[in-house]
Amino acid sequence: NEYKSYLRMPFKLVYWDLRGLGEPLRYMLRYSGQDWEDDRIPMSEDGFKTWMSRKDGLPLGNLPYLVDGDVQVTQSAAVARYLARRIGLMPSDEKDLTLCEMVEQEVYDLKLRMSITCYDPYKSYMPGAPASEIGKHDYDFLKAAFEKRLRERLEQLDKLYEKGFLLGSDESKICYADFLAYEFMDHARAFCPECFEVAPNFVRFMGLFEGLKGVKEWQNGEVYKAGQYINSPMAKWAK
């Protein structure tokens, strides 16, 4: 009820101080218009220590994680779904929900492929973690394979975004999958801009998304314009 809503503590989202897996969740919270805390952990040795001190207190300790009162949610897809239910971005129609879940998994798959390309799995990224002495990360080969896959999948996504947003032309039809699709494909657009020539509908959707309340204000702000890392600065490609 209204009284309980007034007493509810703001959401707190915790993630590294980069875009990565956390930014679509931040966009959902910005769009919601609700008060929330953006708890960013620095990409530094001190930041790593901060994370280690918190990790064991979480279910399936992982970043990003969301705190909603006495509820803690880890795993980025689970956080996205939880937020969607809480702030009205989860469709109720079974057919629409199924489409959202398919697009969710598609863009997570592309994000993972991009991460495999950009991060050398044989390096050590955390203090004390071992590195491989014989493994070789073939960045150029992986990037070419990612570009091929990205073009193919963008052609498919383009068909799904003919209406504007995934579920319709009106902003009232926006769903959580749109937030994941925009942000993860914005990473890909920065990495492989030429691939987006095959997806005019999807590019148009990205423009519509950038005009949304909360999104437009953020992107016009000084922090956004100053630039934020998409990946960790330790990655082969971080931007």
Side-chain angles (χ1 to χ4, degrees):
N1 61 31
E2 184 177 345
Y3 179 67
K4 287 184 178 179
S5 176
Y6 175 76
L7 291 178
R8 188 186 66 78
M9 295 292 290
F11 292 112
K12 179 166 77 169
L13 182 69
V14 185
Y15 190 60
W16 301 112
D17 187 15
L18 49 80
R19 289 168 67 180
L21 295 173
E23 200 65 16
L25 310 175
R26 293 179 182 131
Y27 274 126
M28 290 172 71
L29 288 162
R30 291 175 189 128
Y31 180 76
S32 76
Q34 298 188 29
D35 291 335
W36 64 287
E37 180 182 348
D38 188 4
D39 187 349
R40 295 175 180 247
I41 300 177
M43 296 296 299
S44 65
E45 187 171 343
D46 286 344
F48 177 75
K49 290 177 181 176
T50 296
W51 166 230
M52 288 295 100
S53 71
R54 300 183 187 183
K55 184 176 182 179
D56 291 341
L58 295 166
L60 302 174
N62 214 330
L63 287 171
Y65 71 88
L66 180 79
V67 179
D68 180 20
D70 60 355
V71 177
Q72 295 176 323
V73 189
T74 60
Q75 294 292 348
S76 58
V79 175
R81 294 174 191 171
Y82 180 87
L83 275 176
R85 292 191 295 269
R86 293 285 280 114
I87 63 179
L89 293 171
M90 182 70 78
S92 57
D93 179 80
E94 189 68 25
K95 185 177 179 181
D96 287 346
L97 178 58
T98 300
L99 180 58
C100 281
E101 290 172 339
M102 289 192 295
V103 170
E104 169 203 307
Q105 292 301 301
E106 180 64 38
V107 295
Y108 265 110
D109 176 70
L110 289 168
K111 175 61 178 170
L112 175 60
R113 289 170 185 264
M114 180 174 162
S115 295
I116 290 170
T117 302
C118 295
Y119 286 95
D120 182 347
Y122 305 110
K123 285 180 63 176
S124 172
Y125 293 99
M126 298 293 186
S132 172
E133 296 181 0
I134 59 173
K136 184 180 185 300
H137 182 239
D138 193 339
Y139 172 79
D140 292 334
F141 171 81
L142 290 169
K143 185 175 183 186
F146 175 73
E147 287 176 340
K148 181 176 183 297
R149 176 73 176 185
L150 179 61
R151 283 182 184 273
E152 293 171 350
R153 304 315 289 174
L154 277 172
E155 289 178 345
Q156 299 300 311
L157 285 170
D158 198 60
K159 296 173 185 176
L160 297 178
Y161 276 87
E162 289 178 342
K163 298 176 184 177
F165 298 104
L166 179 61
L167 301 180
S169 59
D170 191 82
E171 185 185 331
S172 65
K173 300 293 286 183
I174 196 167
C175 64
Y176 80 98
D178 290 320
F179 290 78
L180 297 170
Y182 170 80
E183 178 62 16
F184 291 158
M185 292 304 93
D186 197 40
H187 298 182
R189 181 167 59 172
F191 189 45
C192 307
E194 65 284 350
C195 291
F196 283 74
E197 296 170 358
V198 303
N201 292 323
F202 194 83
V203 171
R204 182 167 62 90
F205 151 71
M206 296 180 84
L208 290 173
F209 186 92
E210 289 162 358
L212 294 174
K213 65 176 183 179
V215 176
K216 182 177 180 179
E217 291 81 358
W218 170 252
Q219 293 190 352
N220 284 334
E222 293 182 5
V223 174
Y224 181 86
K225 290 181 176 180
Q228 299 179 92
Y229 283 114
I230 289 174
N231 296 320
S232 163
M234 296 176 285
K236 177 74 174 180
W237 184 90
K239 192 182 183 299

